[in-house]
Amino acid sequence: MRRFFLSLYAALLAFFFAQVFSAQVLGLTGIYRAITAIPLTLLLTILAILVYWRWSGNAFLAQLPEEIAFPAWANRTLAIVGMLLVLAIAVLPTALWPLSPVSETLHWDAGAYHFPKAVELYKSGNVWDLSIPYGEFPFGYESMLSFALLVAGKETFFGLVHALTALTVFLGLWLMARRATTLPDGVLMFLLGLIFVSEAVTVKANPFYIFLDQSHMIGKNDLFLAMGVIAAFAHAPLGRAPQNSRVHLPGLVYATLLVLATKPAGMFAVTPLWLPVLWDWFKGWKNTPRWRELGFATFFIVPGGLWAVRNLFIIHTIFPEGVWEMNEWSIANNLTNPYFYNYLPRNFVFLLLVLGISLLLTLLRRKPYWRISVAFLILFVGFIFTPESGFMKTTQVPTQTAWRLGIALVAYEVVVLLALFEPLINAVLKRLPAWIIAAPAVLIALGLMIYTRDLYRLNPQNAIVLRDEFREPVGVDGYHSAYDFVQKNLRNAVIQIEGGVFYYMYGPGYTNSPTKLHYPLGREHMVPQLDPQYLVVIPHGDPFEPSADFMKKWKIIYRDPEGIVLERIAP
């Protein structure tokens, strides 16, 4: 059973790695097209799977802790039920998006830059245009959406990409827990499945709500980053005992590439994982040089950071000034801020409690094994140094912990809790008949799937989320809104958008070229900017009162209570 789960996990991880690696190379060389990206991704996926198993996969599988004795039929039943819980509640509704009721509103990040960056890579075949919103950011997650566009030509598989990401996160959580405990595979899968979808029952006082919350959040890269970080910890030299702490080098390499190509803040947690690996190589280098391992890691990780070289070449810095400002909103930068201490969220306090108990028990009783507690501490430190982890835009308001940036930390919190309660859980499993455990588990799972049945109420009207922010008509002259006017009337046009959703300006076939004229933040003068032919303003309640001089250059061609479209007057 564990071989099946690990095989599925390895295949998904290999696919994500292959696609992102291909996009880094092809996007930076300007040849990211269907004819190059799809075959290269498929070829690399196959090779990555083969390398995963032939390099150290079987040995890695063999060193997983031996599970305690538990009837095979009950173990399989619980494993199937746990997987079905995640598939039914977290994965399938997301795969059916936008027809399913998840993400009925396009998140600001998705419409502002994640989807646009994917479209620009799809249209141009390169990643050298930094005038698009946050074009200087890494593009690992967006390249997955671009790949979906290459395959379908539209957003058909955007939901599927996110659904597979959620499944990979769950399987990574299972592997981390499998390495840290002796719980039976099925019991572990069921418990983790319950935890993963627990937000379906309650959000309040639920320290694990973020799993399902982000599984249903289409168009953000936080879950994708967590997938990479979790994969790194799942393959690093971390286990319940020294004999269970073998490193799986290909898995760690694949994960590091994903993190580096998605969000550099993730490297706060991943970089320390390489220290014991490099130290081991260094100690034995005289007798056993590790050129093969070093070359493999370098060749497949470095492309994940080439976006930084691109930025240095174009804007002479890795990130412009407007981006560095986000560091001010991290928890680490506000440890003396009263707004942080006076308004500590309960979930954060609970995590601190778990971390403290883990470290204390490791020191006093050496359980959990010190590597597990140190890994938990590494993730915690990495999280508090992550930009925007504690505040957003201002530090003069009560802190709001950005758990979307700490999904991997919460995942390891689950692992530590299971490791702490492992003796109790195993004692229960030994004393109770298997059917007393399996029967309620099946009933609980069925109850949860019935309780969440609304997730499968498909509604074609929900597809409007891909075209408009207004679900009900707000337009005039038969148009749904100003977005609808643009999509029906403008083609191959350069459109400046202010106040509205950038993504909705592309129109059918993505023929239009939206622009904001102020990216990259603070260094917009260093990159070529498009010359707008049209201006779309979605004021969101703010009055639009253009000056007389302004109206000498623009004329209004459409106006409704929520939006205005202007055309530039030829000089």
Side-chain angles (χ1 to χ4, degrees):
M1 187 158 47
R2 65 177 59 177
R3 176 173 284 276
F4 169 76
F5 289 135
L6 185 59
S7 297
L8 177 59
Y9 183 48
L12 289 169
L13 183 62
F15 168 67
F16 283 120
F17 158 77
Q19 197 292 311
V20 172
F21 179 87
S22 300
Q24 306 306 300
V25 176
L26 299 177
L28 286 162
T29 53
I31 53 174
Y32 186 81
R33 301 294 183 188
I35 196 172
T36 55
I38 294 176
L40 182 57
T41 296
L42 295 178
L43 176 62
L44 277 178
T45 298
I46 295 171
L47 291 175
I49 293 173
L50 292 175
V51 169
Y52 186 97
W53 284 105
R54 294 189 178 183
W55 192 309
S56 53
N58 290 316
F60 182 75
L61 183 65
Q63 57 93 45
L64 294 179
E66 189 67 30
E67 58 186 327
I68 67 164
F70 193 66
W73 69 267
N75 214 11
R76 292 193 193 95
T77 300
L78 290 171
I80 292 171
V81 168
M83 180 61 80
L84 283 177
L85 268 177
V86 174
L87 290 175
I89 298 175
V91 176
L92 293 181
T94 304
L96 294 172
W97 184 83
L99 302 182
S100 66
V102 304
S103 276
E104 290 184 314
T105 301
L106 195 64
H107 193 279
W108 182 89
D109 290 4
Y113 63 97
H114 287 307
F115 284 8
K117 286 173 65 177
V119 170
E120 292 298 333
L121 177 56
Y122 166 68
K123 285 175 59 178
S124 68
N126 71 77
V127 292
W128 288 89
D129 183 6
L130 301 192
S131 70
I132 62 175
Y134 297 105
E136 72 276 11
F137 277 23
F139 54 96
Y141 166 70
E142 293 82 3
S143 70
M144 285 304 310
L145 302 179
S146 294
F147 186 80
L149 290 173
L150 289 178
V151 173
K154 54 183 180 180
E155 308 96 334
T156 305
F157 297 126
F158 277 17
L160 180 60
V161 167
H162 206 79
L164 292 178
T165 303
L167 178 58
T168 310
V169 167
F170 175 70
L171 290 172
L173 172 59
W174 167 82
L175 182 56
M176 287 196 304
R178 174 69 277 157
R179 299 189 70 185
T181 71
T182 60
L183 296 175
D185 285 329
V187 173
L188 195 57
M189 187 66 73
F190 177 71
L191 291 174
L192 292 175
L194 277 180
I195 291 170
F196 201 84
V197 302
S198 60
E199 192 210 24
V201 177
T202 180
V203 176
K204 188 176 182 181
N206 180 357
F208 314 119
Y209 81 94
I210 198 64
F211 294 125
L212 189 60
D213 176 84
Q214 290 300 301
S215 293
H216 288 169
M217 184 70 71
I218 306 290
K220 287 179 64 63
N221 66 354
D222 301 306
L223 192 71
F224 197 81
L225 173 67
M227 176 188 70
V229 175
I230 289 172
F233 276 76
H235 294 95
L238 302 169
R240 63 176 281 108
Q243 63 269 26
N244 309 123
S245 297
R246 180 190 181 99
V247 65
H248 188 290
L249 185 63
L252 183 56
V253 168
Y254 301 165
T256 304
L257 177 279
L258 289 171
V259 172
L260 190 56
T262 303
K263 268 188 181 181
M267 295 304 294
F268 287 146
V270 172
T271 301
L273 302 181
W274 280 95
L275 298 181
V277 177
L278 296 174
W279 175 246
D280 183 60
W281 293 355
F282 176 77
K283 285 193 304 181
W285 194 275
K286 187 174 181 179
N287 297 323
T288 310
R290 299 299 185 96
W291 290 113
R292 184 183 70 149
E293 290 86 348
L294 184 60
F296 174 78
T298 303
F299 183 81
F300 286 110
I301 291 176
V302 168
L306 290 180
W307 57 268
V309 179
R310 174 204 61 182
N311 290 358
L312 289 171
F313 179 75
I314 297 176
I315 57 176
H316 306 156
T317 183
I318 296 178
F319 286 122
E321 293 77 2
V323 174
W324 288 114
E325 182 184 4
M326 297 177 185
N327 288 305
E328 298 176 8
W329 306 322
S330 71
I331 292 174
N333 272 333
N334 287 275
L335 293 179
T336 58
N337 184 350
Y339 280 104
F340 174 68
Y341 287 104
N342 293 342
Y343 301 94
L344 278 178
R346 283 177 294 183
N347 288 350
F348 191 80
V349 174
F350 178 72
L351 186 141
L352 287 175
L353 183 64
V354 175
L355 176 61
I357 292 173
S358 172
L359 292 171
L360 184 62
L361 290 179
T362 295
L363 291 173
L364 298 180
R365 301 178 56 186
R366 299 185 179 180
K367 289 184 179 180
Y369 182 47
W370 69 267
R371 294 186 188 226
I372 294 175
S373 293
V374 169
F376 193 19
L377 181 62
I378 289 171
L379 279 164
F380 175 76
V381 173
F383 173 65
I384 67 172
F385 276 94
T386 298
E388 299 184 328
S389 56
F391 296 87
M392 175 69 77
K393 303 297 183 184
T394 177
T395 59
Q396 299 307 303
V397 295
T399 181
Q400 292 184 340
T401 308
W403 290 115
R404 63 183 179 84
L405 303 174
I407 300 172
L409 172 62
V410 177
Y412 217 83
E413 179 184 15
V414 172
V415 172
V416 170
L417 284 170
L418 288 172
L420 292 174
F421 285 97
E422 176 190 358
L424 176 62
I425 298 172
N426 282 340
V428 172
L429 295 176
K430 290 176 181 178
R431 292 181 182 180
L432 292 181
W435 69 268
I436 291 182
I437 296 170
V442 172
L443 292 176
I444 290 171
L446 287 174
L448 275 174
M449 286 187 272
I450 293 172
Y451 181 72
T452 57
R453 63 188 181 277
D454 285 348
L455 291 172
Y456 290 93
R457 296 196 177 185
L458 305 185
N459 180 8
Q461 299 300 319
N462 287 341
I464 196 172
V465 72
L466 293 171
R467 304 189 306 271
D468 210 301
E469 66 175 289
F470 303 106
R471 296 189 70 86
E472 300 299 327
V474 297
V476 297
D477 300 329
Y479 294 105
H480 187 89
S481 68
Y483 297 116
D484 189 33
F485 177 87
V486 168
Q487 293 160 12
K488 288 180 177 176
N489 294 283
L490 304 186
R491 298 290 183 275
N492 302 306
V494 178
I495 306 170
Q496 182 180 350
I497 170 72
E498 297 297 335
V501 179
F502 195 94
Y503 182 67
Y504 297 145
M505 294 294 101
Y506 283 102
Y510 308 110
T511 64
N512 295 328
S513 299
T515 184
K516 282 278 194 178
L517 298 182
H518 56 248
Y519 289 99
L521 296 174
R523 302 211 172 193
E524 62 273 12
H525 60 282
M526 300 184 69
V527 303
Q529 300 287 343
L530 298 175
D531 189 19
Q533 302 163 284
Y534 298 89
L535 171 63
V536 177
V537 180
I538 309 293
H540 291 298
D542 294 330
F544 178 67
E545 299 174 349
S547 65
D549 288 340
F550 178 88
M551 293 308 298
K552 290 178 182 179
K553 300 177 182 178
W554 299 91
K555 65 177 179 180
I556 296 175
I557 58 176
Y558 174 85
R559 184 168 197 159
D560 65 39
E562 298 292 342
I564 307 146
V565 182
L566 302 97
E567 182 179 12
R568 190 171 187 173
I569 300 172

